Amino acid sequence: MKETLRYLAGLAGPSGYGSNSTAEQVTEDFSCMVPPHLTAIITGATSGIGAETARVLAKKGVRIVIPARDLRRAAELKEEIQKESPQAEIVLLEVDLSSLTSVKRFCTEFLSLGLSLNILINNAGIFSQNLEFSEDKIEMTYATNYLGHFLLTEMLLEKMVETAAKTGIQGRIINVTSVIHSWVKRDSFRFNQMLNPKNYNGTRAYAQSKLANILHVKEMARQCQARNARVTINAVHPGIVKTGIIRAHKGFITDSIYFFASKFLKSSSQGASTTCYVALSPQLEGVTGKYFADCNESSCSSLANDESEAQKLFKQTRAVIYKRLGQPAV
């Protein structure tokens, strides 16, 4: 109840920021402390909070790499950003996150550029009311929101570890998730059923993918700490934002409820604030495996905190990805 009241009132938490804070505000306060020559990959950056995240980080001098399925829209965003920040360096590369082959191709292409990599923001997400399958024959929401980002992180982690070792600047990975991960019950979180559901429900599939994003954070944080890698990984809940995903959800709630709820929705700038805070704040040096909301550390569900569940999901995910790619999981 306290968190709800704080959200509605826009009260600041321990970080000094709250639900009303914008991405511009949270980064302005420590802009002079942002290291130079950072490079960030941001998925889902052609619209919504991803586009706002890209705009704000570029304004702070971060080189932005945008993996996009729609390169025309990505080029338009690049032009918009460079109008505001003429010195911004924006790199566009094609990817379809629902396709494991496409993700692998993107990573190979990015690594061939010889760029450093300091920040990886796994932001892209879809919501589908109807059951659809990816080219890998995996349910589309799970393939895009979770599996694509898992492989992206897997293939780029060593570059991040290498960059951190060379520069002395800690690498940061951010998985954008959702508070509705807490709706998922343990008995409905079955890996094979999520790959190929028999009774599909769009809201459940979305919530399961977001729970998987947090479990990925928990296990990756454990592994990075075990090898003393200077890379952190955290999950962020951006809040309920006025984006295309919310419009897609409109089918399962009445128009009147949507109209009322929309009065409490965040703007894209407010929604991007937590991602930007976790990406750049010097307060979070060394903080890993945590869940953030409204620019403050928060609590996730008990299932999302289950270490054994995180390890099991990680092993199952690697096995299915490399099987689909036709190569052994090393």
Side-chain angles (χ1 to χ4, degrees):
M1 177 62 75
K2 284 184 179 179
E3 288 187 1
T4 302
L5 291 175
R6 181 181 289 119
Y7 172 83
L8 293 175
L11 299 177
S15 69
Y17 307 108
S19 61
N20 286 345
S21 300
T22 66
E24 290 261 20
Q25 290 169 343
V26 303
T27 54
E28 187 60 36
D29 287 347
F30 47 77
S31 58
C32 62
M33 294 179 277
V34 176
H37 312 303
L38 296 181
T39 299
I41 292 177
I42 308 172
T43 68
T46 57
S47 64
I49 63 174
E52 178 66 2
T53 301
R55 183 188 72 81
V56 171
L57 294 192
K59 195 173 180 179
K60 301 306 173 188
V62 180
R63 177 196 289 127
I64 306 296
V65 179
I66 300 178
R69 186 171 53 181
D70 185 347
L71 288 178
R72 181 190 59 79
R73 177 67 191 105
E76 291 172 356
L77 176 67
K78 177 178 179 178
E79 184 178 348
E80 291 169 13
I81 291 174
Q82 290 180 330
K83 277 183 181 178
E84 180 181 11
S85 304
Q87 303 305 314
E89 186 176 351
I90 314 289
V91 178
L92 309 180
L93 296 173
E94 188 173 13
V95 75
D96 176 356
L97 277 167
S98 73
S99 163
L100 297 173
T101 299
S102 178
V103 172
K104 183 180 178 182
R105 187 185 308 118
F106 163 80
C107 291
T108 300
E109 189 174 357
F110 170 76
L111 293 172
S112 73
L113 299 177
L115 299 176
S116 60
L117 182 57
N118 307 93
I119 302 167
L120 171 60
I121 301 176
N122 293 319
N123 166 79
I126 65 165
F127 170 84
S128 177
Q129 293 191 37
N130 302 311
L131 177 60
E132 299 176 75
F133 289 94
S134 70
E135 67 178 40
D136 300 298
K137 297 181 173 56
I138 296 169
E139 190 277 312
M140 188 65 80
T141 304
Y142 204 62
T144 304
N145 297 2
Y146 172 60
L147 292 179
H149 285 127
F150 184 102
L151 180 58
L152 188 71
T153 305
E154 172 110 343
M155 292 192 68
L156 297 178
L157 179 61
E158 291 310 313
K159 170 56 71 173
M160 297 193 71
V161 172
E162 173 192 307
T163 299
K166 284 183 177 179
T167 64
I169 301 169
Q170 176 184 269
R172 300 188 183 192
I173 303 170
I174 298 162
N175 281 3
V176 178
T177 181
S178 171
V179 70
I180 73 166
H181 78 272
S182 60
W183 296 2
V184 181
K185 305 303 180 186
R186 189 177 295 273
D187 59 3
S188 67
F189 195 69
R190 297 286 181 266
F191 187 71
N192 289 333
Q193 291 178 18
M194 291 184 283
L195 298 179
N196 186 9
K198 290 182 172 58
N199 298 301
Y200 180 76
N201 176 283
T203 304
R204 181 174 60 226
Y206 183 76
Q208 288 170 333
S209 73
K210 293 302 169 180
L211 172 59
N213 289 147
I214 302 176
L215 289 169
H216 182 214
V217 162
K218 299 294 183 179
E219 177 58 13
M220 283 296 302
R222 185 190 70 80
Q223 291 186 18
C224 287
Q225 286 179 315
R227 61 182 285 194
N228 293 317
R230 290 206 63 205
V231 176
T232 63
I233 177 167
N234 292 290
V236 305
H237 164 52
I240 311 302
V241 186
K242 300 172 187 174
T243 66
I245 285 181
I246 287 297
R247 288 191 292 274
H249 276 72
K250 204 179 169 186
F252 71 87
I253 55 177
T254 67
D255 286 347
S256 59
I257 293 175
Y258 179 83
F259 177 80
F260 176 76
S262 68
K263 304 306 175 185
F264 301 100
L265 298 182
K266 289 186 176 184
S267 66
S268 291
S269 185
Q270 291 169 330
S273 64
T274 306
T275 301
C276 291
Y277 173 74
V278 177
L280 294 182
S281 174
Q283 297 178 29
L284 299 185
E285 179 76 21
V287 175
T288 192
K290 304 300 183 182
Y291 173 80
F292 290 83
D294 299 330
C295 301
N296 288 275
E297 188 177 330
S298 189
S299 300
C300 52
S301 70
S302 59
L303 182 54
N305 275 317
D306 190 322
E307 291 185 8
S308 62
E309 192 70 43
Q311 290 181 33
K312 181 175 75 172
L313 179 64
F314 188 91
K315 291 177 182 176
Q316 291 174 317
T317 303
R318 287 190 91 247
V320 78
I321 284 176
Y322 287 102
K323 182 178 180 181
R324 292 296 200 280
L325 289 173
Q327 62 188 77
V330 295

